[in-house]
Amino acid sequence: LGIAIGFLVPPVLVPNVEDRDKLAYHISIMFYIIGGVATLLLILVFIVFKEKPKYPPSRAQSLSYALTSPDASYLGSIAQLFKNLNFVLLVITYGLNAGAFYALSTLLNRMVIWHYPGEEVNAGRIGLTIVIAGMLGAVISGIWLDRSKTYKETTLVVYIMTLVGMVVYTFTLNLGHLWVVFITAGTMGFFMTGYPPAGI
């Protein structure tokens, strides 16, 4: 939800103006707001968050608490994880998906403006569409995984659909119809940002 707001708010706070001083003023206002929100959240983390919940959230976590030796080191745990081929493959696939999403997020405004000049606000709305569709995809993916327990198959389907969505989005970006971009971006987002529950 924070990423969705991050897509929507900046184009509204920072209008497309030629005057560099006005642009700098609007950017500084946006950064002050972000800094204020981040500071408030940091204070809440210190006040509200506990190291771990009173009761374990799952049976696996309960076993983890019971089996963890007090002298287990963080680096030792990391080294042990990287000896597990399945974990390494998961890290690579999850990282590729996350990297593609953040690259797209970073360049979305430029991509949209290149093909649709003056549509900065709609670029933010397209980003919002990607994230909201992804939130829906994440919920559906999570429910499906809980019921089916088909982790590998679900990961493969979601990954293939992410690739297809990215290709379709890329080739429909320059068609001249912004509504098509909204649909293809939403479809891509449904799978791309719907993948994290499967990965986690």
Side-chain angles (χ1 to χ4, degrees):
L1 187 59
I3 293 170
I5 293 168
F7 274 120
L8 192 61
V9 172
V12 174
L13 291 178
V14 183
N16 189 3
V17 292
E18 295 294 327
D19 184 357
R20 285 180 176 255
D21 292 332
K22 268 190 178 177
L23 189 64
Y25 170 75
H26 287 292
I27 290 173
S28 67
I29 292 296
M30 182 182 70
F31 284 156
Y32 283 129
I33 291 170
I34 292 169
V37 171
T39 303
L40 176 65
L41 290 174
L42 177 66
I43 291 167
L44 287 173
V45 165
F46 280 124
I47 294 171
V48 176
F49 276 51
K50 295 175 176 61
E51 184 178 346
K52 60 183 178 181
K54 185 175 180 182
Y55 302 106
S58 67
R59 191 176 299 151
Q61 195 65 42
S62 178
L63 285 170
S64 169
Y65 291 166
L67 296 175
T68 303
S69 63
D71 59 337
S73 76
Y74 178 73
L75 291 177
S77 300
I78 297 294
Q80 187 176 0
L81 279 174
F82 277 96
K83 291 176 185 172
N84 183 328
L85 180 62
N86 289 326
F87 176 79
V88 172
L89 290 172
L90 185 62
V91 166
I92 292 169
T93 58
Y94 194 94
L96 286 170
N97 188 66
F101 172 72
Y102 288 117
L104 178 77
S105 303
T106 303
L107 300 172
L108 182 65
N109 195 29
R110 291 201 135 188
M111 285 189 281
V112 172
I113 300 306
W114 177 265
H115 296 288
Y116 304 93
E119 294 287 351
E120 290 86 1
V121 174
N122 275 326
R125 289 177 182 153
I126 290 169
L128 176 71
T129 302
I130 290 170
V131 175
I132 297 297
M135 289 169 72
L136 179 63
V139 169
I140 291 171
S141 175
I143 292 169
W144 170 255
L145 287 172
D146 276 348
R147 291 189 179 161
S148 71
K149 308 292 189 228
T150 54
Y151 298 103
K152 183 177 181 180
E153 295 84 355
T154 303
T155 298
L156 287 171
V157 168
V158 170
Y159 226 91
I160 289 167
M161 292 308 295
T162 298
L163 176 64
V164 169
M166 182 69 94
V167 170
V168 170
Y169 169 78
T170 302
F171 286 109
T172 57
L173 192 58
N174 61 355
L175 290 181
H177 301 291
L178 203 54
W179 64 271
V180 174
V181 177
F182 271 94
I183 292 170
T184 57
T187 304
M188 176 188 62
F190 180 84
F191 292 105
M192 181 182 274
T193 52
Y195 174 70
I200 289 169

